[in-house]
Every structure is written in structure tokens, then in C-alpha cells.
Amino acid sequence: EYLAVGHATIAASIITYMIFSTSSVSSPYYAGLNLVGIIALCFFTFSWLFYTLTTLSIYVPYFVLSFIHGTEAELKNQFILNTFFMIGTVIVCALIHHFREHYRSVSVLARFQLKIELENRNEVISKKTAEAVNLSNLYSHFSPQIVDSIKAGKIKIEQGGQRAQICALFIDIVNSTERVTRIDKDK
């Protein structure tokens, strides 16, 4: 910002010198001063403090020298017109600066929110992947009904298991394997 203010001040000083060394307040070089103002105020990114400092460093020397060196007739005619255009330039550049800063802050906020969303998404993907791997391991040790109950939240494995007395009955029918392979699958 300091460098940009310095460049704008030097360029404005050279043009202000040209205005008052060639003729007077009514010199057409004031348009060059406005051009320096447009370039400095619209194309450089300033904080509002440096924006104001740049504006003052560009235009105040012109106004001071106009009052010192200008005649009353020049001040009434051309100086008022030049002042009108310079103030218009400052207002338009201030609006451009305001909207550019607004859209830049919106863009920075959007990028920050996108970064957070991507981090959250990666965390969710990692969590769901680990959950799927764990459930896949559970299928190899438990019946599908138990694993489905765990997935549905009916059984809370975080709470630990519970002890219960059960009765298990194992029945082996003689030659059942052979009979099952011979019978039609529909029967």
C-alpha cells in the first residue's frame, strides 16, 4: 500500500507540475491527473485509510496550487468544471472500491466455507468407510439379522453386551445332507 501511494503521488506530482508550468488551472493536463486518480484508486487494492491518503495525495496539490496561482476568472470557470470531474472520479472510484472489497470478502468467506465443508466431507467419508469395514467384519462373525439390527441402531454395541441365559438345541438328522442335495430346491 505504501508503494502504491508513493507511485500515485509521484505521478500526480509530475502531472500537477505540468499543469502549472505550461499554463494555468484551465490546462487540459488536469485530465491526466484524473487518469492517475482512476488508475490508482480503481486498480490498486487499498484499505480505506490508504484509499483516502492516495486521494488526498493526488488531488490536494492541484487544489492548493489552483488557489495560489489561479486567477479569479479561471477559478470561477474552468476550476469548477475540473473540480466537478475530479469529485466525480473520486466518487465512482470509491463505489468501485467498495463493491470490489465486498465481493472479495464474499469470495474469501465462500472459499473458507468450502474448505470447511471439504474437511467435514472427508471426515464423514473416513468415518463411513471405517463403519462399513467394521460392519463387513461383523457379517463374518454374526448372523445378518444381528448386523442389520446394529446398523439400524436397535442394538447399541457401544454400551457393551449383556449376559443372558439361553437354551441352544442342536439336532442332527441322519443322512440329512444327502437328502437335501437330492430334493428339488422348491421342495
Side-chain angles (χ1 to χ4, degrees):
E1 288 181 320
Y2 287 107
L3 190 61
V5 171
H7 282 285
T9 302
I10 290 169
S13 298
I14 292 170
I15 292 175
T16 302
Y17 173 76
M18 290 170 53
I19 291 171
F20 291 100
S21 67
T22 57
S23 62
S24 64
V25 175
S26 60
S27 171
Y29 284 121
Y30 92 92
L33 192 61
N34 245 3
L35 188 59
V36 169
I38 290 170
I39 291 170
L41 300 176
C42 287
F43 295 108
F44 291 120
T45 303
F46 290 119
S47 64
W48 281 108
L49 173 69
F50 279 92
Y51 181 88
T52 305
L53 184 63
T54 303
T55 303
L56 294 175
S57 72
I58 292 172
Y59 292 113
V60 167
Y62 171 80
F63 289 118
V64 169
L65 289 174
S66 293
F67 282 113
I68 293 173
H69 295 292
T71 65
E72 189 175 323
E74 288 176 329
L75 290 176
K76 283 184 180 176
N77 297 330
Q78 194 64 34
F79 177 75
I80 293 172
L81 183 63
N82 293 355
T83 302
F84 172 76
F85 283 112
M86 289 179 187
I87 290 172
T89 298
V90 171
I91 290 171
V92 168
C93 290
L95 288 172
I96 290 170
H97 178 74
H98 169 74
F99 286 115
R100 183 181 61 227
E101 291 302 310
H102 172 72
Y103 288 123
R104 187 163 41 136
S105 65
V106 167
S107 174
V108 167
L109 180 63
R111 279 184 272 165
F112 179 70
Q113 289 172 336
L114 179 62
K115 180 182 175 187
I116 289 173
E117 184 178 329
L118 289 175
E119 288 172 357
N120 289 341
R121 185 177 296 162
N122 288 339
E123 186 178 310
V124 168
I125 288 171
S126 297
K127 183 178 176 182
K128 291 294 182 183
T129 302
E131 184 178 302
V133 167
N134 290 339
L135 287 174
S136 175
N137 289 337
L138 287 176
Y139 275 113
S140 65
H141 299 292
F142 297 102
S143 70
Q145 296 85 358
I146 299 289
V147 177
D148 290 339
S149 294
I150 292 171
K151 279 173 55 177
K154 294 176 184 173
I155 298 175
K156 304 286 185 197
I157 58 174
E158 293 87 19
Q159 297 172 349
Q162 59 185 11
R163 293 188 175 268
Q165 290 187 356
I166 62 167
C167 178
L169 179 64
F170 179 76
I171 301 173
D172 186 18
I173 301 174
V174 177
N175 295 330
S176 63
T177 306
E178 177 188 331
R179 288 183 183 172
V180 168
T181 56
R182 279 188 283 139
I183 298 175
D184 185 26
K185 66 179 183 211
D186 293 332
K187 292 182 179 179

